[in-house]
């Protein structure tokens, strides 16, 4: 049997009602099967509230499925573990820590000694062009720089699997493209496995090997598109690939864009 | 924290961009701002001088009798008189000491209970009606009771201050711990953080700004608590001198006591602000005075 880096097997998640008025609670996702191989980047798209972030929380071990199982490297996920790291739309930088200290946050919690932390953070600060800002506080940086710091904080843990939840959706268009480019190259060169949640169809197609489409709640995988185009490490040029246009048309019809109110 | 998403294309790619803050005003802007701050300071001083002059010469001009509002110079004379004959220094010290101790203990208690309740939602739910009841109860009304329990010494008035200081700090700390972004806590949890680490590395530092807002309020409330405690019982402290002055229809002495009590409050408040400046030095610099709270 093939060992997948990240695998969801028949995963459902039900949130019990908080109040009586909530009725039965919410069935967020229903019977999701996804298998991601080593070094593969898979994009996940779907209407708002269909359970994408829920799926990501299950993979990171922050939450447990109601039914089914999640595996990382063939091992069932039963809590946060060091093979997996996530990055969200919000940079989640701690305002009272300098950028360096923020990048070191995860290592500090995991108990690495100070010298090793310093060495690693230096390396990643340089890699993401943040060396000059190591001793600044987050509020002194632009949104794009903050998101790069968040990326450095994620990568400095050397995770095998990256969970990315709309990592660039709060950025302006140009910054977004620069960061997409940086991230795509890193993922490719270091053969990282990644699950990328996004609302941006072009981003999904430009950065991934496969695009999975989820239905409205309860979320199921309704379609898989294998992106048949080279240059995954270079989203800028892949955007222009002749196949991208038809893929987008297909995704738009799947997501029912046109009846615009359904995809907010 | 507002998300500043404007990164111009020129600064975007590889070459590190200029810091977003304070970048445009190198020399001129800085100097201008400093000048205008100096001007505001001068204005404050002028207002003070006008006020003092009005106090000295205003009452006689308006026909207000010395018994109602004594002139500034007479209050000053009374101050020196009390200093020599009335053990003013001794009373001032007792009050200052009580204010500091009451403030410190009240703040400590408020913090401890605030953090405990903040970390345990169950306890908060169970305790909240009692906290609310105690918060609504006028704390100074406990002063006579405390004196009956502890006698005519320094303890009851410190306890009044503790009671009154405690709540705003408790509430601010509790609200702050509750208000921490759950995503922030999930981030720490994803690194396998222990409950203690989540508290120490996230919840506690995140509560600093609201804690200091609470401490500022607490510093002024401590003076009220001690003053009321001294009104009600004992024969020491500025509160006692104030009541004594009233009994002897010595308006000047009452003014002296009020001014000194205010000074003690100001000192306590400034101590808090100094500490706050140091602890919250990572915060964006504020351009306002120190009366308002943090945004
Ligand atoms: N902790 C929770 N308790 C109750 N319901 C929840 C919880 N978390 C998520 N849900 C519900 O589960 C559903 C899926 O939420 P989720 O955040 O996964 O959606 P999403 O696909 O990420 O949406 P978006 O694209 O807007 O980010 C939503 O209806 C949401 O209300
Ligand atoms: Mg989401």
């Amino acid at each position: 049997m093939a060992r997948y880096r990240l695998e969801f097997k028949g995963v459902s998640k039900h949130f019990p009602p908080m109040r009586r008025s909530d009725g039965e609670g919410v069935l967020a996702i229903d019977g999701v099967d996804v298998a991601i191989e080593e070094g593969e980047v898979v994009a996940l798209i779907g209407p708002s509230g269909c359970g994408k972030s829920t799926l990501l929380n299950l993979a990171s071990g922050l939450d447990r499925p109601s039914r089914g199982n999640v595996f990382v490297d063939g091992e069932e996920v039963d809590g946060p573990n060091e093979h997996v790291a996530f990055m969200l739309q919000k940079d989640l930088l701690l305002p009272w820590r300098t950028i360096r200290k923020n990048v070191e946050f995860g290592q500090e919690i995991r108990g690495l000694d100070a010298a090793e932390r310093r060495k690693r953070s230096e390396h990643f600060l340089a890699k993401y062009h943040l060396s000059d800002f190591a001793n600044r506080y987050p509020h002194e940086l632009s949104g794009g720089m903050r998101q790069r710091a968040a990326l450095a904080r994620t990568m400095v843990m050397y995770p095998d699997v990256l969970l990315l939840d709309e990592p660039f959706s709060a950025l302006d268009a140009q910054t977004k493209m620069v960061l997409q480019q940086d991230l795509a190259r890193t993922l490719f060169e270091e053969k990282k496995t990644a699950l990328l949640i996004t609302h941006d169809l072009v981003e999904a197609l430009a950065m991934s090997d496969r695009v999975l489409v989820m239905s409205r709640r309860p979320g199921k995988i309704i379609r898989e598109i294998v992106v048949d185009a080279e240059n995954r490490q270079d989203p800028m040029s892949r955007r222009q690939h002749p196949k991208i246009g038809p893929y987008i048309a297909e995704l738009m019809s799947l997501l029912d864009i046109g009846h615009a109110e359904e995809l907010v | 924290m507002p998300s500043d998403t404007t990164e111009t294309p020129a600064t975007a790619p590889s070459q590190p961009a200029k810091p977003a803050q304070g970048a445009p005003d190198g020399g001129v802007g800085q100097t201008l701002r400093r000048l205008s701050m100096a001007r505001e300071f001068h204005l404050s001083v002028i207002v003070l001088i006008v006020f003092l002059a009005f106090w000295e010469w205003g009452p006689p001009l308006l026909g207000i009798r010395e018994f109602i509002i004594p002139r500034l110079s007479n209050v000053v004379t009374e101050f020196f008189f009390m200093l020599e004959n009335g053990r003013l220094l001794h009373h001032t010290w007792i009050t200052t000491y009580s204010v500091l101790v009451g403030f410190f203990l009240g703040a400590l208690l408020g913090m401890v209970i605030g953090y405990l309740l903040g970390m345990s939602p169950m306890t908060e739910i169970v305790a909240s009606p009692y906290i609310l009841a105690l918060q609504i109860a006028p704390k100074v009304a406990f002063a006579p009771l405390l004196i009956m329990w502890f006698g005519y010494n320094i303890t009851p008035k410190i306890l009044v201050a503790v009671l009154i200081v405690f709540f705003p700090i408790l509430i601010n700390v509790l609200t702050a711990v509750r208000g921490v972004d759950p995503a922030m806590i999930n981030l720490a949890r994803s690194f396998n953080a222990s409950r203690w680490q989540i508290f120490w590395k996230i919840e506690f530092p995140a509560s600093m700004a609201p804690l200091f807002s609470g401490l500022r309020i607490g510093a002024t409330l401590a003076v009220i608590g001690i003053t009321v405690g001294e009104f009600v019982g004992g024969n020491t402290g500025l509160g006692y001198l104030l009541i004594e002055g009233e009994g002897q229809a010595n308006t000047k002495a009452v003014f002296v006591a009020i001014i000194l009590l205010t000074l003690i409050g100001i000192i306590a408040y400034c101590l808090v602000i100094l500490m706050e400046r140091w602890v919250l030095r990572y915060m964006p610099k504020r351009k306002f005075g120190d009366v308002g709270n943090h945004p």
Side-chain angles (χ1 to χ4, degrees), chain B residues 11-293:
Chain B
T11 59
S14 47
Q15 87 257 41
K18 278 243 181 87
Q21 245 221 342
D25 47 2
V28 184
Q30 205 93 36
T31 320
L32 273 179
R33 198 177 308 146
R34 207 166 294 148
L35 268 180
S36 91
M37 264 166 75
R39 208 176 54 207
E40 280 150 22
F41 178 73
H42 287 149
L43 273 176
S44 285
V45 172
I46 290 171
V47 169
L48 179 70
I49 291 171
V50 169
F51 171 76
L52 292 179
F54 187 73
W55 186 2
E56 177 63 24
W57 292 292
L61 275 180
L62 296 173
I64 298 171
R65 278 176 303 159
E66 192 68 2
F67 167 71
I68 305 292
I69 300 180
R71 303 169 63 146
L72 173 62
S73 52
N74 290 337
V75 173
V76 173
T77 316
E78 177 71 14
F79 169 77
F80 286 109
F81 177 78
M82 288 169 82
L83 213 52
E84 273 168 47
N85 307 303
R87 308 234 293 141
L88 183 58
L89 218 54
H90 167 72
H91 290 289
T92 307
W93 166 243
I94 297 267
T95 301
T96 311
Y97 174 79
S98 314
V99 165
L100 292 180
V101 172
F103 175 53
F104 179 78
L105 292 180
L108 197 69
L109 192 68
M111 284 170 69
V112 168
I113 297 187
Y115 287 122
L116 284 179
L117 294 182
M119 287 171 73
S120 156
M122 268 310 288
T123 329
E124 192 207 337
I125 291 167
V126 174
S128 64
Y130 307 103
I131 295 179
L132 192 67
L134 258 180
Q135 192 186 4
I136 292 170
K139 262 76 63 186
V140 291
F142 288 85
L145 188 64
L146 290 167
I147 286 168
M148 285 153 77
W149 288 349
F150 294 95
Y152 287 91
N153 55 47
I154 198 173
T155 313
K157 60 184 178 185
I158 288 182
L159 287 179
V160 177
V162 168
L163 271 181
I164 193 172
V165 165
F166 161 79
F167 282 100
I169 292 170
L170 169 94
I171 300 298
N172 277 25
V173 165
L174 180 58
T175 316
V177 173
R178 272 304 129 72
V180 174
D181 184 351
M184 214 77 126
I185 291 179
N186 273 345
L187 175 75
R189 284 201 342 167
S190 81
F191 298 125
N192 255 329
S194 64
R195 185 68 190 85
W196 173 249
Q197 282 178 315
I198 290 177
F199 172 72
W200 192 239
K201 293 187 191 289
I202 296 188
E203 289 170 334
F204 182 69
S207 70
M208 280 301 117
L211 169 65
F212 273 100
S213 306
L215 289 176
R216 288 173 181 217
I217 301 169
T220 58
L221 290 182
V223 182
I224 297 180
I226 296 297
T227 309
V228 171
E230 290 174 344
F231 280 177
V232 180
N235 50 7
T236 51
L238 293 169
Y240 164 75
L241 287 189
L242 211 155
I243 292 292
E244 199 192 41
E246 184 219 332
Q248 301 166 348
N250 182 353
T251 319
K252 290 173 289 185
V254 170
F255 268 83
V256 168
I258 291 176
I259 292 168
L260 287 177
L261 282 168
T262 309
L263 279 179
I264 292 173
I266 290 174
I267 289 169
Y269 192 84
C270 288
L271 285 180
V272 172
I273 290 200
L274 282 182
M275 235 160 65
E276 177 174 350
R277 289 253 168 89
W278 184 75
V279 172
L280 298 182
R281 61 193 179 280
Y282 62 84
M283 294 271 258
K285 296 275 175 292
R286 280 177 300 144
K287 299 183 195 73
F288 311 105
D290 274 314
V291 176
N293 278 340

Side-chain angles (χ1 to χ4, degrees), chain A residues 50-173:
Chain A
C50 71
K52 301 182 294 294
S53 300
T54 304
L55 208 61
L56 188 133
N57 279 340
L58 298 177
S60 62
L62 290 171
D63 211 348
R64 309 297 306 276
S66 316
R67 255 186 298 121
N69 311 83
V70 184
F71 301 91
V72 169
D73 281 331
E75 263 177 60
E76 180 160 8
V77 175
D78 60 357
N81 65 82
E82 50 195 313
H83 306 294
V84 182
F86 69 75
M87 177 174 165
L88 308 183
Q89 176 181 357
K90 287 188 272 188
D91 55 58
L92 298 181
L93 297 175
L94 302 170
W96 53 86
R97 282 177 175 245
T98 60
I99 295 303
R100 183 201 310 287
K101 285 277 175 193
N102 265 292
V103 171
E104 291 181 7
F105 181 60
Q107 309 171 63
E108 198 180 302
I109 291 203
R110 285 211 188 274
L112 270 77
D113 70 272
E116 172 71 13
R117 281 200 316 249
R118 181 72 183 231
K119 211 174 83 192
R120 282 203 201 178
S121 64
E122 288 289 298
H123 174 73
F124 279 90
L125 284 168
K127 181 163 174 179
Y128 293 105
H129 318 299
L130 290 165
S131 300
D132 292 346
F133 298 90
N135 296 319
R136 302 240 181 194
Y137 289 100
H139 74 84
E140 300 176 291
L141 270 63
S142 71
M145 291 158 85
R146 283 206 297 263
Q147 204 59 351
R148 265 188 274 148
L151 188 57
R153 180 192 57 207
T154 308
M155 302 304 274
V156 83
M157 305 302 290
Y158 295 106
D160 300 322
V161 177
L162 277 164
L163 304 168
L164 305 161
D165 196 349
E166 307 183 33
F168 307 131
S169 59
L171 302 175
D172 65 280

